[in-house]
């Protein structure tokens, strides 16, 4: 993999782990939390987003199409992920989502986009997915009363989130690389955030019985987490979008799963979630897989 692309992916992995830990802390925030983060992201990204569109000659149609579809897919991703964090362990939901997503991304990149990475990259992708799944399954030993239901919810939401990851990865890669649709990465992220704001507004503002009451409550209780997600989440993904302009989806999608290693460590040692030894072994396997991709 291109060294610059690898560096972008590594930076994105750290940022991705940071905002997911913030989202986990605000797990009960639900749709209002996701909407508030999207609003803040849209505001913060606006100057660079507009600059990117104007720099392309003012071609608004590719931006509108790319951002609208991306926004729909990212909305599904954030809602499912936040719901999973509210009902399951982060070290089950997150690894299963991140394992299912790249596995499907690689498969579809080969079948749909016609990418042909070398065998070391394909093997590395398979190793990454295996390590991620091992991390997720390491939480499968039910221990007290609520454990079975939390495990089931974590697995369900993790897998569903993985499907949305594959969908938005392929669409966004197409949006920033296609000759007929090429969109500046930051502009695409801004358009996606605007679409999320519009899609979630009716649900966020009507939650909690009184219009806006739930939103005000979530903002009051989780302001710091909202701002972390609003700033660090788009930063992480913009880095990935730039990497996708330098390397194939089939290499970038699995390599960014290094974030699983950081989240696994935090889940085991900061949140004191179960089976740290198995999860650390899985994390080591993920690192080995990314190393294979890096040298391919």
């Amino acid at each position: 993999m291109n060294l610059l692309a690898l560096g972008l992916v590594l930076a994105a992995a750290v940022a991705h782990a940071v905002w997911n830990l913030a989202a986990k802390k605000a797990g009960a925030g639900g749709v209002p939390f996701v909407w508030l983060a999207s609003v803040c992201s849209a505001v913060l990204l606006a100057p660079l987003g507009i600059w990117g569109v104007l720099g392309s000659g003012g071609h608004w149609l590719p931006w509108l199409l790319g951002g609208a579809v991306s926004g729909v897919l990212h909305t599904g991703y954030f809602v499912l992920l936040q719901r999973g964090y509210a009902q399951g362990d982060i070290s089950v939901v997150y690894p299963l989502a991140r394992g299912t997503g790249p596995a499907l991304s690689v498969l579809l990149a080969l079948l749909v986009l016609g990418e042909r990475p070398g065998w070391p990259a394909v093997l590395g992708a398979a190793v990454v997915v295996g390590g991620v799944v091992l991390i997720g399954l390491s939480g499968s030993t039910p221990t007290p009363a609520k454990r079975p239901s939390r495990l089931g919810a974590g697995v369900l939401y993790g897998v569903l989130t993985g499907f949305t990851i594959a969908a938005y990865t392929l669409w966004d890669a197409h949006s920033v690389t296609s000759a007929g649709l090429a969109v500046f990465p930051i502009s695409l992220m801004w358009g996606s955030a605007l679409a999320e704001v519009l899609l979630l507004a009716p649900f966020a503002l009507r939650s909690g019985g009184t219009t806006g009451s739930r939103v005000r409550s979530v903002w009051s209780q989780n302001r710091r987490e909202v701002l972390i997600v609003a700033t660090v989440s788009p930063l992480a993904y913009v880095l990935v979008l730039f990497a996708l302009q330098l390397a194939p989806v089939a290499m970038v999608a699995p390599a960014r799963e290094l974030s699983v290693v950081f989240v696994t460590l935090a889940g085991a040692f900061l949140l004191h979630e179960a089976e740290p030894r198995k999860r650390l072994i899985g994390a080591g396997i993920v690192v080995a897989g990314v190393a294979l991709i890096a040298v391919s």
Side-chain angles (χ1 to χ4, degrees):
M1 179 189 283
N2 179 294
L3 286 179
L4 177 57
L6 181 60
L8 291 169
V9 169
L10 288 172
V14 175
H16 204 275
V18 169
W19 79 254
N20 270 270
L21 290 169
K24 170 60 179 176
K25 187 174 180 181
V31 172
F33 178 85
V34 176
W35 183 74
L36 284 167
S38 298
V39 170
C40 294
S41 289
V43 172
L44 292 169
L45 290 169
L48 288 175
I50 294 171
W51 174 76
V53 174
L54 294 177
S56 68
H59 296 140
W60 293 89
L61 186 58
W63 171 74
L64 286 171
L65 176 60
V69 176
S70 180
V72 170
L73 298 174
H74 277 87
T75 296
Y77 163 71
F78 280 118
V79 171
L80 287 170
L81 187 67
Q82 195 67 23
R83 186 69 174 170
Y85 286 166
Q87 297 191 18
D89 288 346
I90 190 173
S91 48
V92 173
V93 177
Y94 188 85
L96 287 179
R98 304 313 305 180
T100 306
L104 291 171
S105 296
V106 170
L107 178 61
L108 293 174
L110 296 173
L111 297 178
V112 178
L113 300 183
E115 294 184 357
R116 293 294 181 267
W119 280 109
V122 175
L123 177 60
V127 171
V128 168
V129 172
V132 169
V133 171
L134 175 62
I135 294 169
L137 293 178
S138 68
S140 61
T141 306
T143 55
K146 287 188 179 178
R147 191 69 187 174
S149 62
R150 286 187 65 81
L151 175 66
V155 170
L156 173 63
Y157 283 108
V159 172
L160 289 176
T161 303
F163 276 92
T164 64
I165 291 171
Y168 76 61
T169 298
L170 291 174
W171 173 257
D172 292 346
H174 175 65
S175 296
V176 299
T177 59
S178 169
L181 189 66
V183 182
F184 186 57
I186 297 177
S187 296
L188 178 67
M189 197 71 244
W190 175 51
S192 180
L194 287 174
E196 292 163 25
V197 170
L198 295 174
L199 287 168
L200 291 173
F203 305 99
L205 296 176
R206 292 176 187 170
S207 62
T210 305
T211 302
S213 63
R214 177 65 175 150
V215 170
R216 288 191 293 271
S217 174
V218 170
W219 175 254
S220 175
Q221 296 173 19
N222 303 110
R223 183 176 307 165
R224 184 178 65 176
E225 287 73 27
V226 166
L227 293 174
I228 290 174
V229 173
T231 54
V232 182
S233 173
L235 169 64
Y237 197 58
V238 164
L239 292 172
V240 170
L241 292 177
F242 278 114
L244 286 168
Q245 293 182 319
L246 301 171
V249 174
M251 298 174 73
V252 173
R256 64 183 295 223
E257 302 320 310
L258 270 174
S259 58
V260 173
V261 175
F262 304 124
V263 171
T264 299
L265 292 172
F269 297 113
L270 296 181
L271 304 180
H272 306 293
E273 294 179 352
E275 300 287 353
R277 183 176 300 177
K278 290 182 182 178
R279 291 174 179 177
L280 289 174
I281 292 172
I285 293 173
V286 171
V287 173
V290 172
L292 278 173
I293 295 171
V295 300
S296 61

